[in-house]
Amino acid sequence: MWTKSQAKNNQRWTSIKDLLRPVNQAAMSLLASTTPGSPLSPAAYMKYKHVKSAIYRSKTSLSRKSINPTLSIKLWMNDIQAHGGKSTFVPKVSGIDNNYFFAWSTKFQLEIMARNTGIVCMDSTHKTVKSLLPDPKDKKTCPSAYLFTLLVRDRQANCGVPVAFMVCNSESINTLRLWLKWVSDHCGINATKFMVDCSQAESEAIYQAFMTSVDIYYCTFHVAQAWERKSKELYGVKVCNDLRGPLKRIRTAETEEELARRWDSFTETYKKIRQDDQLLESMDDT
């Protein structure tokens, strides 16, 4: 019972361990001099797995409104709406079998969104949540789903703040478009610029959802990652290492003119080395 009460008070393993184990030398000496066979405090037998289990049960009881995952999500969506937020649950995306998504923005997030318009960052995170639907090849397991986040820079806090979330089991353009359209129509987001990882699906979904002249920027880290992965796939590690410097100079160009010059120089040099446009075509896509 004591361990459960500590878990409910949001105590972590390290803090609970300090309460369980004697930390001063006098207490350690007293424990060492205990007569063999005499009873010890139950705390002396408590292990990490016992505390972990108690913390897990406590967190689960707080996060689950029902043992049925789908029903639990619907209840959470209703709870968010009841507290002034916006939420939606789409069990089947039109035109796509077995594709779903649910999305939400709390009252606090809507307030942040309303006073910070213009530039929005869109991020996709893999393997953080489980899908509601089982794996078609193995009904006993559920594959990972995708967590999408929209962030803005809050002018008051001067830091990035997430203003909307979406969980789905497909990164299709149609699913992303429906979510972004919902955020635009029901949450009131007003964006003129988007930053995404390095995804054509995300870019196309943004264009279709907003139907206006929205500027889209790619994250330089993800662009570099995509270029390096493609060059290594096509030509091996040695050529990839040779191209890393010139490609970095392209990404770090500070003006359009400088970018054009560095790009022209790279394409000319590259074509002399390889009469092959596969890498250039993949770079044009990003």
Side-chain angles (χ1 to χ4, degrees), residues 122 173 176-177 180 194-196 201-212 214-216:
M122 182 173 172
I173 294 175
L176 296 175
R177 176 184 61 82
L180 292 170
F194 267 89
M195 173 173 282
V196 299
E202 292 176 9
S203 300
E204 184 60 31
I206 291 170
Y207 284 130
Q208 292 185 16
F210 288 89
M211 303 294 288
T212 56
V214 178
D215 295 327
I216 298 179

Side-chain angles (χ1 to χ4, degrees), residues 215-236:
D215 295 327
I216 298 179
Y217 300 88
Y218 285 166
C219 168
T220 55
F221 169 79
H222 288 91
V223 169
Q225 192 178 54
W227 287 358
E228 180 145 336
R229 183 167 54 245
K230 193 65 177 180
S231 62
K232 189 178 296 183
E233 172 191 327
L234 291 173
Y235 309 116

Side-chain angles (χ1 to χ4, degrees), residues 5-285:
S5 66
Q6 295 302 313
K8 289 182 179 180
N9 290 331
N10 293 321
Q11 295 282 0
R12 303 180 65 181
W13 158 245
T14 51
S15 56
I16 294 177
K17 180 178 67 173
D18 290 340
L19 296 173
L20 287 171
R21 301 288 188 262
V23 294
N24 59 67
Q25 191 61 40
M28 293 292 288
S29 300
L30 180 62
L31 185 62
S33 62
T34 303
T35 304
S38 61
L40 295 176
S41 167
Y45 302 99
M46 192 71 68
K47 296 182 178 180
Y48 170 74
K49 64 179 181 180
H50 301 133
V51 179
K52 178 185 177 182
S53 177
I55 292 175
Y56 177 79
R57 288 195 298 269
S58 175
K59 298 299 182 183
T60 300
S61 66
L62 291 175
S63 62
R64 286 184 183 174
K65 290 184 175 291
S66 169
I67 194 171
N68 182 293
T70 301
L71 178 58
S72 178
I73 290 169
K74 291 180 178 179
L75 293 173
W76 271 115
M77 297 296 102
N78 293 337
D79 185 78
I80 290 172
Q81 292 185 32
H83 287 83
K86 300 287 186 179
S87 64
T88 183
F89 183 90
V90 180
K92 185 176 181 180
V93 176
S94 58
I96 306 176
D97 293 335
N98 297 325
N99 279 10
Y100 69 86
F101 77 87
F102 56 92
W104 68 96
S105 181
T106 65
K107 181 181 179 181
F108 167 76
Q109 291 176 313
L110 292 173
E111 293 171 354
I112 297 293
M113 189 187 302
R115 66 171 184 256
N116 295 278
T117 59
I119 304 176
V120 178
C121 296
M122 182 173 172
D123 182 64
S124 170
T125 310
H126 298 195
K127 298 183 179 180
T128 58
V129 292
K130 290 291 186 180
S131 174
L132 294 176
L133 302 177
D135 190 331
K137 298 179 180 179
D138 184 1
K139 299 296 184 180
K140 295 183 179 180
T141 62
C142 292
S144 296
Y146 304 96
L147 171 65
F148 280 85
T149 308
L150 295 181
L151 303 98
V152 298
R153 176 173 286 277
D154 184 34
R155 295 183 178 89
Q156 294 183 1
N158 194 31
C159 66
V161 179
V163 294
F165 295 103
M166 188 263 287
V167 173
C168 61
N169 65 335
S170 170
E171 292 182 296
S172 68
I173 294 175
N174 196 31
T175 300
L176 296 175
R177 176 184 61 82
L178 290 174
W179 170 52
L180 292 170
K181 194 73 170 61
W182 175 81
V183 175
S184 175
D185 294 343
H186 296 273
C187 301
I189 196 167
N190 183 18
T192 58
K193 296 179 175 63
F194 267 89
M195 173 173 282
V196 299
D197 291 346
C198 185
S199 169
Q200 290 180 299
E202 292 176 9
S203 300
E204 184 60 31
I206 291 170
Y207 284 130
Q208 292 185 16
F210 288 89
M211 303 294 288
T212 56
S213 56
V214 178
D215 295 327
I216 298 179
Y217 300 88
Y218 285 166
C219 168
T220 55
F221 169 79
H222 288 91
V223 169
Q225 192 178 54
W227 287 358
E228 180 145 336
R229 183 167 54 245
K230 193 65 177 180
S231 62
K232 189 178 296 183
E233 172 191 327
L234 291 173
Y235 309 116
V237 175
K238 185 179 185 306
V239 175
C240 174
N241 292 337
D242 293 339
L243 295 178
R244 188 175 293 122
L247 291 178
K248 182 177 181 180
R249 285 193 289 274
I250 292 173
R251 296 193 306 273
T252 56
E254 296 183 356
T255 64
E256 292 289 341
E257 294 77 11
E258 186 179 9
L259 175 62
R261 286 196 304 271
R262 293 183 180 184
W263 175 259
D264 291 341
S265 175
F266 172 78
T267 54
E268 287 302 317
T269 304
Y270 173 74
K271 285 182 178 179
K272 291 178 182 177
I273 300 174
R274 300 270 186 184
Q275 296 299 319
D276 187 352
D277 289 335
Q278 291 185 73
L279 179 60
L280 297 181
E281 290 173 359
S282 70
M283 292 171 66
D284 285 337
D285 291 337

